[in-house]
Structures are given as structure tokens and as C-alpha cells.
Amino acid sequence: MPDLPGQVTATALGPWPGEDPVEAGRIIRGELGSPHLPFLAELPGRGVGSDALGRTASLLEGLAADVQPYGWRLVDRPGKDYLRARSALSTDLNILADLIGAEEAPAPEIKVQLRGPLSLAAGLHLHHGERALIDHGARRDLAASLAAGMDDFLRRVSGAAPGARITVQLDEPDIAAVLAGTIPTSSGYRTLRAVAGSEATESWRLVVDALRAAGAAEIVIAVPEVEAPFERILAAGADGIAVPLRALTSRQWEHLAAAVEAGKRLWAGVLPVDEPAAALPRVPEAVEALWRPWRQLGLPATALGAVRVTPAGGLAGYTPASATAVLGRLTQVADGLNQLALG
């Protein structure tokens, strides 16, 4: 379990607009200086290999993937798209190293994002075109391959950010559909069988343990609010949960409150990002979205240090200027919550 700071901090979930990793890195590190959490941007606008699925596939140990008309597919040997994904990540890490090297006082932390093992299996296809999710052995092999690749990956991140505390965010955007059995087959005529919750827990535990052994200081699993399996995430050993706040039920809030009381992190998606052209919520409104249920559940203001505030989703659909404004608003929300924590 990570040491919790005494204050609310801000970060974002990873996807970022544009194609320029230098500009993205400068903006993110400028807006999210200490005590906040800067992150290595994902730039899907650069094309194949810079998306979250391709980036994560490029980290698999002993498995390779390439792009087919229906998406990423596991293949016998690395193809051009796999190599492009690895090259893009290497470029991003080299740029990160250059940016950090030019800073007088680099931030003491860095965050990276990966697709979690269940959503990875939902997004990758087997040789015959069906999703890897259909096959128990394929799911198991993917989780093990992802876990095996974490040591090399975090070594590279640490090389780019010497001495920085590394936080890893495992994204599971498809988890509700995976557990409910509503993901369609490749034909679209039926759905894939639901994955047992116990298997999800074991897959996460395998990757979480590998990340911990590789030096990750904090590991958070990010899920949508719908049918979010909070208890299974925590049972897997994650340090916290990242989730949008907008549609959480009272029961879900109770689970989150119990997690906070047990010393876990809550990454609270306080800013909706579905409509990039929409005005951002005012700071008091965003603060109240967290503070009202927090107070109703009897959590003390002093426990707010367990919170990081985030957008409710990625920012790739924004312009760089509007995405920058989101980061600025998040730090303002963090400041507002810290004022409450101080009483």
C-alpha cells in the first residue's frame, strides 16, 4: 500500500490530443507540477501503434501482434504495426528523458497507463479472427505475457525518469461487458461467454504483483462507473480505483468509502469530458460532486488526502488548448478540496 499524501492532488487518465509528444509532455509537466502527478501521454492521433491497445500489445513478452482490417491480432512474428508501436513508445520515453533533464526541479513522480488484461483480451484477436476473450487459455497467456513484460517496461520508464516514483494505471474500459457476457463475437450474431469474476481478480493480481516486483510504487485500476467491480479490484491487491463520479450509486459510494477507510486511493473523475465543446464545470460545482457524498458517508475531511482528481475520461477528443484548460481546472478543484481538508 502506498504512503498517502496529506493533500488532494490531480492527474489525467492518459489519452491526449494531437501528434506532438514534445508539446504534450511540456504542457502536462507544466500544468501538473509537484504535488500533482504528471503522466506519459498517449497520442492516438498519431495513428496505429500509438493507441492504448497497440502500446500495451507492444509490451507483451513472448507474444506479438499486428493490425488486420478488424483490429489488432496476435501473430507468430512481429509485423510493421507492432514495431511502429514499440518505436513510438521508445520515442516518447526519450522525449520524457529530455524534458526531465532540462527541468531544474523535476516532479518526483510519473504515471504511465496500460490496458488491463481483461480489456486487452477483449481487444486483441486470435488467428481465426475471434477475440482472445473467447478462449480461457488465451486469456491466461495474455495476462501472463503482460505480467512478464512489466519488468523491462518499468526499467525503461525509470531510465527516462531517474529516481521518480512510478505509478501505473491499468485501464479496464470493457470490464462491465466482459463480466456480463455482452461483448459481441466477430460475426456480431452472438456474444462471448461472461468471464468469471474470480478469473478477473486472478488476472489483475498476476499483473499487479508483477508491477510491484518491477518497482511500481502505486497501482490503480481504472473502470467505468457502470457495474464497476470495486471489491474484486481491491482483492487483486491494487492500491486504488479510478472511476467517474457522475453516476455512482449510493451502494458504490459505500464501497469506495470502505476502501478509503482501509487506506486505499480514490481517483475521482470529477470533470465530465463527453462533450469537448461544453464549458467545464465551475470549481465549486466540481468540488461539491465529491464533497457532498464524502460528507454524507461520514468520511472525515482529513481523509481527503486519499483522493486524486481526474477527468471522467481521456482528453484525446479535445484541442491541446482545451485539454490544458482541463488540467488547470483539476488543480483548482484539488485546491478547493484541500481548503476543505484544512477546515
Side-chain angles (χ1 to χ4, degrees):
M1 186 173 66
D3 294 329
L4 297 179
Q7 58 187 318
V8 181
T9 55
T11 193
L13 297 180
W16 191 262
E19 303 177 21
D20 185 350
V22 176
E23 178 192 44
R26 284 177 176 156
I27 291 172
I28 290 164
R29 296 188 67 80
E31 294 292 327
L32 297 178
S34 187
H36 303 296
L37 180 59
F39 57 95
L40 184 68
E42 293 171 359
L43 300 171
R46 281 193 297 186
V48 170
S50 291
D51 57 296
L53 188 66
R55 172 165 284 187
T56 305
S58 78
L59 299 172
L60 295 173
E61 183 72 32
L63 295 175
D66 208 30
V67 174
Q68 303 296 317
Y70 47 77
W72 284 91
R73 186 183 73 171
L74 292 167
V75 292
D76 293 330
R77 61 182 60 86
K80 66 181 188 306
D81 300 310
Y82 174 91
L83 298 175
R84 184 182 301 167
R86 288 192 67 88
S87 175
L89 177 57
S90 293
T91 295
D92 290 355
L93 290 172
N94 289 338
I95 288 169
L96 176 66
D98 291 343
L99 291 172
I100 290 174
E103 293 172 350
E104 290 185 10
E109 300 184 76
I110 184 69
K111 176 174 73 76
V112 291
Q113 308 81 219
L114 298 170
R115 191 56 57 96
L118 280 305
S119 295
L120 186 64
L124 291 177
H125 298 259
L126 300 173
H127 289 275
H128 53 68
E130 193 50 85
R131 297 175 190 274
L133 192 68
I134 197 172
D135 184 89
H136 178 269
R139 297 194 302 267
R140 181 192 60 220
D141 290 348
L142 271 176
S145 176
L146 182 60
M150 292 303 92
D151 188 65
D152 179 66
F153 176 51
L154 290 201
R155 189 182 301 116
R156 294 163 67 194
V157 175
S158 184
R165 180 181 187 272
I166 299 174
T167 292
V168 180
Q169 171 192 318
L170 289 174
D171 291 323
E172 289 284 8
D174 300 318
I175 192 58
V178 167
L179 296 179
T182 58
I183 289 185
T185 60
S186 57
S187 69
Y189 291 119
R190 60 189 181 89
T191 57
L192 299 177
R193 182 178 300 173
V195 173
S198 58
E199 183 184 331
T201 302
E202 288 305 311
S203 293
W204 287 332
R205 182 178 290 122
L206 184 66
V207 178
V208 166
D209 287 350
L211 285 165
R212 193 96 60 206
E218 182 178 335
I219 303 151
V220 168
I221 297 179
V223 292
E225 68 273 31
V226 178
E227 302 296 329
F230 296 154
E231 291 171 319
R232 294 204 172 277
I233 289 171
L234 299 177
D239 298 309
I241 296 164
V243 65
L245 297 190
R246 58 194 167 193
L248 291 178
T249 64
S250 297
R251 178 76 170 159
Q252 287 178 310
W253 268 111
E254 289 169 2
H255 288 156
L256 291 173
V260 169
E261 289 172 337
K264 299 294 186 177
R265 281 274 206 182
L266 170 59
W267 288 24
V270 296
L271 296 184
V273 292
D274 295 334
E275 299 179 26
L280 290 173
R282 294 168 52 248
V283 173
E285 178 185 341
V287 166
E288 191 65 14
L290 177 68
W291 179 237
R292 184 189 301 110
W294 193 271
R295 189 173 61 245
Q296 289 171 345
L297 287 163
L299 289 168
T302 52
L304 283 168
V307 173
R308 289 195 201 274
V309 291
T310 76
L315 302 176
Y318 278 57
T319 64
S322 58
T324 304
V326 170
L327 299 188
R329 183 57 50 88
L330 287 170
T331 61
Q332 293 170 345
V333 173
D335 289 343
L337 288 165
N338 284 322
Q339 291 297 317
L340 293 172
L342 292 171

